[in-house]
Amino acid sequence: MSQTSILVLTTGGTIDKAYFDALSEYQIVDSGIPALLKEARVSVPFRMVELMRKDSLELTDADRALIASAARQAPETHIVVTHGTDTMTETAKVLAKAVPGKTVVLTGALSPARFAETDAPFNLGMAFAAAQTAGPGVWIAMSGQVFDGLKVRKDREAEKFVAI
């Protein structure tokens, strides 16, 4: 398999949240994605661009247009987008229309990457693998699966993503 460079676009979300003390709310801080990739000894070439630091519930149409524009204009054809899980599927729909011919994989976490018990490293690894092996289109790598980005939903009660 060739070493195709992967573009990582970070947008915020739970994967990059920190909890400072019992009286604080979560805050999105500097992305922990580079540290996760270093710890995992990722040797695939990648370039990271921080687009924003937002909870996905705060994303606007303009934010989604920015994500789509960055993906569309990038020289890379394999893209991982870290994103909050609450509106990940909404962004997937925008990307599916706006970024043809590229492989775009969205991923995030149900608990912050900085927590001892988190799905963040696993999901990020799944996203990197999917970006290298999936065909063009928009995909979501969550809950130990790679889903068609247009045929998935977050099941809050089960605390996982499920195909629809």
Side-chain angles (χ1 to χ4, degrees), residues 119-136:
D119 55 337
F122 185 78
N123 291 340
L124 186 60
M126 290 275 302
F128 258 69
Q132 294 173 74
T133 59

Side-chain angles (χ1 to χ4, degrees), residues 74-106:
E76 294 89 351
T77 58
H78 298 76
I79 301 164
V80 169
V81 179
T82 62
H83 195 288
T85 60
D86 286 316
T87 66
M88 187 181 286
T89 58
E90 291 175 38
T91 300
K93 290 174 187 170
V94 171
L95 293 172
K97 291 178 184 173
V99 188
K102 294 189 178 190
T103 302
V104 181
V105 184
L106 290 97

Side-chain angles (χ1 to χ4, degrees), residues 35-96:
L36 287 176
L37 295 172
K38 182 178 179 184
E39 182 179 317
R41 294 176 177 80
V42 171
S43 61
V44 175
F46 68 91
R47 176 172 69 98
M48 191 180 111
V49 176
E50 181 180 294
L51 293 179
M52 62 198 72
R53 294 181 185 176
K54 286 188 166 185
D55 185 288
S56 71
L57 292 172
E58 297 171 358
L59 290 181
T60 64
D61 290 343
D63 293 327
R64 287 186 175 81
L66 174 65
I67 297 166
S69 176
R72 188 176 46 253
Q73 293 177 13
E76 294 89 351
T77 58
H78 298 76
I79 301 164
V80 169
V81 179
T82 62
H83 195 288
T85 60
D86 286 316
T87 66
M88 187 181 286
T89 58
E90 291 175 38
T91 300
K93 290 174 187 170
V94 171
L95 293 172

